[in-house]
């Protein structure tokens, strides 16, 4: 059986990231291939330090690092919250232990990664998630630059996370893209980026989590009731105060409890009081079940939107990021455009909008077609090994 090395974000403290890795893994297994998630640990050395210096001039990389430092610093000032978030982080780690039994032995350092991986794997696959964010370019890992030229390199639904590549990264981005034997992207904008850079038309495929329907997800993630009373699930990763105000107003009008999951990506001061039921002791299983059993879902999250669609929920999507020439809203833009769900974007009247009927028969038709085309892409890509 051919063995595929997966370059994926399996240990990120994010429910959607872990679920898309799980879906990627299961789909490739379903097609008859063995998988192993590659664990790469950077080896500190003078050479590594010198190679890292250019990243310090990458504004995307620096912004991400500063954001993380800021969150850690603020959390340290709230030990009671830090303790609760620690409980959730341990649940993330237990999810990895339970669902990802195919982790490789660590590859320590770039030299070992290149040498051992060339022997151990028949092909390499990266995806999905925003692995090709401009801030990640300097790691050279998710771009599969360590993989031998002669072995198949596949990108499944890999996302740039932005609508255009910074001018100073275009040459390097084009260079790693040309090494892939099979390229696909999750967003329409991503397809255009690749076309502009290397002149290649690539297929837009669905996020791995959409490769399975609701019934199949019931087999992957057992169904259970996390909250025993009717509720609105408010899953916000962004910092917008207006979104929380709208949710509070909607909760008051419906008389339903608001279930929230605070302090995931950002520390938002008002989230200390936002929500009637605040979830800390939860993992990706609970995330899926909170959407499954919600009366309504309000979210600014891509995967919050995906699982709302899969489970035919009444939901509204808020913009997590400000609109602009390089907005990171593009993955939700594509999802809504492809499935005909643009009316689910928040437009100012939450009560009328969320209760507007969604023709899920039409949505499922579009989704089934996209799912079939996406699986065919994977079959073709893997057949080249």
């Amino acid at each position: 059986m051919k063995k595929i090395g997966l370059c994926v974000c399996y240990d990120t403290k994010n429910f959607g990231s872990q679920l898309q890795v799980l879906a990627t893994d299961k789909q490739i297994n379903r097609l008859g291939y063995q998988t192993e998630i590659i664990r790469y640990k950077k080896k500190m050395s003078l050479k590594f330090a010198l190679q890292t210096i250019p990243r310090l001039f990458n504004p995307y990389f620096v912004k991400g690092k500063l954001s993380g430092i800021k969150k850690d610093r603020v959390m340290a000032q709230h030990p009671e919250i830090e303790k609760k978030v620690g409980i959730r982080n341990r649940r993330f780690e237990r999810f990895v232990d339970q669902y990802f039994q195919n982790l490789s032995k660590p590859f320590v350092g770039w030299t070992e990664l290149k040498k051992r991986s060339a022997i151990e794997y028949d092909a390499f696959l990266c995806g999905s998630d925003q692995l090709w964010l401009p801030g990640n370019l300097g790691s050279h890992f998710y771009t599969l630059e360590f993989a031998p030229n002669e072995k198949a390199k596949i990108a499944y639904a890999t996302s740039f996370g932005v609508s255009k590549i910074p001018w100073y990264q275009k040459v390097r981005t084009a260079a790693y893209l040309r090494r892939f034997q099979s390229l696909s992207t999750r967003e329409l904008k991503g397809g255009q980026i690749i076309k502009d850079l290397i002149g290649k038309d690539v297929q837009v495929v669905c996020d791995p989590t959409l490769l399975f329907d609701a019934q199949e997800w019931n087999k992957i993630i057992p169904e259970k009731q996390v909250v025993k009373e009717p509720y609105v699930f408010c899953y916000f990763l962004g910092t917008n105060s207006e979104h929380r105000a709208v949710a509070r107003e909607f909760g008051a009008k419906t008389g339903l409890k608001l279930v929230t999951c605070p302090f995931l990506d950002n520390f938002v001061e008002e989230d200390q009081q936002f929500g009637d039921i605040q979830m800390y002791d939860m993992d990706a299983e609970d995330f899926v079940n909170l959407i499954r059993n919600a009366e309504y879902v309000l979210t600014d999250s891509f995967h919050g939107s995906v699982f709302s669609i899969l489970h035919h929920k009444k939901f509204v999507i808020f913009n997590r990021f400000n609109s602009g020439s390089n907005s990171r809203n593009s993955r939700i833009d594509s999802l809504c455009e492809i499935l005909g769900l643009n009316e689910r974007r928040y437009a100012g009247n939450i009560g009328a909008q969320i209760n507007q009927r969604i023709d899920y028969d039409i949505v499922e038709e579009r989704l089934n077609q996209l799912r079939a085309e996406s699986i065919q892409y994977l079959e073709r890509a893997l057949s080249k090994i």
Side-chain angles (χ1 to χ4, degrees):
M1 184 182 291
K2 299 292 185 182
K3 187 176 181 182
I4 317 299
L6 302 182
C7 295
V8 289
C9 285
Y10 70 94
D11 57 352
T12 303
K13 302 295 191 292
N14 179 283
F15 303 121
S17 293
Q18 290 192 330
L19 289 166
Q20 62 86 15
V21 171
L22 181 61
T24 300
D25 189 44
K26 287 192 172 295
Q27 180 58 54
I28 296 173
N29 292 156
R30 189 159 68 168
L31 293 175
Y33 297 85
Q34 181 184 356
T35 54
E36 188 168 85
I37 295 172
I38 298 175
R39 288 195 293 167
Y40 169 46
K41 295 186 180 298
K42 296 171 183 176
K43 187 176 183 179
M44 297 306 298
S45 65
L46 177 59
K47 182 179 179 181
F48 174 78
L50 292 173
Q51 290 174 337
T52 302
I53 290 174
R55 301 188 79 182
L56 301 178
F57 298 93
N58 182 330
Y60 293 90
F61 175 77
V62 173
K63 183 179 179 181
K65 288 298 182 184
L66 290 177
S67 177
I69 292 170
K70 180 181 177 182
K71 180 186 175 184
D72 291 343
R73 185 175 298 165
V74 175
M75 290 289 286
Q77 298 171 7
H78 299 271
E80 71 288 353
I81 295 175
E82 191 173 34
K83 182 178 179 180
K84 292 178 181 178
V85 171
I87 292 171
R88 186 164 58 212
N89 287 342
R90 287 190 288 276
R91 290 290 300 275
F92 276 115
E93 292 163 2
R94 287 203 294 271
F95 186 88
V96 171
D97 294 338
Q98 179 180 352
Y99 281 95
F100 302 133
Q101 301 292 316
N102 59 337
L103 299 178
S104 74
K105 293 180 180 178
F107 294 81
V108 182
W110 187 257
T111 300
E112 183 179 350
L113 177 65
K114 289 187 69 173
K115 185 176 180 180
R116 269 183 51 205
S117 66
I119 299 169
E120 295 190 15
Y121 305 111
D122 298 295
F124 301 85
L125 182 144
C126 68
S128 163
D129 224 341
Q130 300 180 75
L131 302 183
W132 291 344
L133 277 169
N136 290 345
L137 182 60
S139 75
H140 308 290
F141 177 64
Y142 296 115
T143 54
L144 303 189
E145 291 170 71
F146 64 89
N149 289 329
E150 67 275 10
K151 290 202 173 182
K153 289 168 284 296
I154 302 164
Y156 180 79
T158 315
S159 172
F160 294 97
V162 294
S163 56
K164 65 178 182 179
I165 299 298
W167 64 268
Y168 51 87
Q169 289 189 349
K170 288 185 176 181
V171 172
R172 286 183 295 156
T173 302
Y176 78 71
L177 288 173
R178 289 192 182 97
R179 298 185 72 244
F180 280 80
Q181 283 71 30
S182 300
L183 279 167
S184 67
T185 185
R186 188 175 60 186
E187 287 98 29
L188 299 168
K189 290 283 189 182
Q192 188 59 53
I193 287 172
I194 294 173
K195 175 70 172 177
D196 292 343
L197 287 177
I198 63 173
K200 186 174 182 179
D201 290 310
V202 300
Q203 187 171 336
V204 176
V205 295
C206 66
D207 186 83
T209 53
L210 289 167
L211 292 171
F212 299 88
D213 61 25
Q215 289 70 38
E216 290 169 320
W217 272 110
N218 279 342
K219 297 175 183 177
I220 298 170
I221 300 291
E223 188 166 0
K224 64 179 177 180
Q225 194 172 18
V226 181
V227 174
K228 300 189 184 304
E229 56 187 305
Y231 61 89
V232 181
F233 185 39
C234 301
Y235 186 62
F236 295 139
L237 298 177
T239 61
N240 194 303
S241 295
E242 180 191 352
H243 301 166
R244 288 150 173 84
V246 169
R248 286 194 189 93
E249 182 181 350
F250 182 69
K253 286 183 178 179
T254 61
L256 298 172
K257 294 287 180 67
L258 300 185
V259 176
T260 63
C261 182
F263 311 117
L264 265 170
D265 279 15
N266 298 283
F267 182 91
V268 181
E269 188 75 34
E270 66 182 289
D271 279 0
Q272 294 183 73
Q273 288 80 40
F274 177 55
D276 302 295
I277 301 172
Q278 295 184 330
M279 298 297 301
Y280 289 97
D281 191 359
M282 67 176 287
D283 60 11
E285 282 190 0
D286 296 322
F287 170 77
V288 173
N289 279 299
L290 283 168
I291 293 177
R292 272 181 185 150
N293 297 309
E295 301 296 318
Y296 301 95
V297 178
L298 308 180
T299 188
D300 61 4
S301 151
F302 175 78
H303 285 104
S305 306
V306 163
F307 282 93
S308 296
I309 293 166
L310 287 172
H311 292 95
H312 292 193
K313 308 309 304 184
K314 295 180 178 179
F315 73 105
V316 163
I317 308 169
F318 297 82
N319 271 349
R320 180 180 172 191
F321 302 99
N322 294 327
S323 298
S325 61
N326 214 17
S327 168
R328 286 176 60 186
N329 297 315
S330 61
R331 55 183 177 162
I332 291 180
D333 295 340
S334 290
L335 180 71
C336 292
E337 182 70 27
I338 292 169
L339 298 182
L341 290 170
N342 284 320
E343 77 280 358
R344 306 322 297 175
R345 310 297 287 272
Y346 176 62
N349 188 339
I350 188 70
Q353 189 176 5
I354 204 166
N355 284 303
Q356 183 180 348
R357 179 178 174 272
I358 302 173
D359 191 335
Y360 273 113
D361 288 337
I362 294 177
V363 173
E364 286 293 339
E365 284 180 16
R366 296 186 178 192
L367 184 51
N368 285 334
Q369 180 179 349
L370 179 61
R371 184 180 290 134
E373 292 171 351
S374 300
I375 292 173
Q376 288 171 5
Y377 163 81
L378 261 180
E379 289 175 329
R380 288 195 305 270
L382 291 167
S383 71
K384 296 177 182 177
I385 300 172

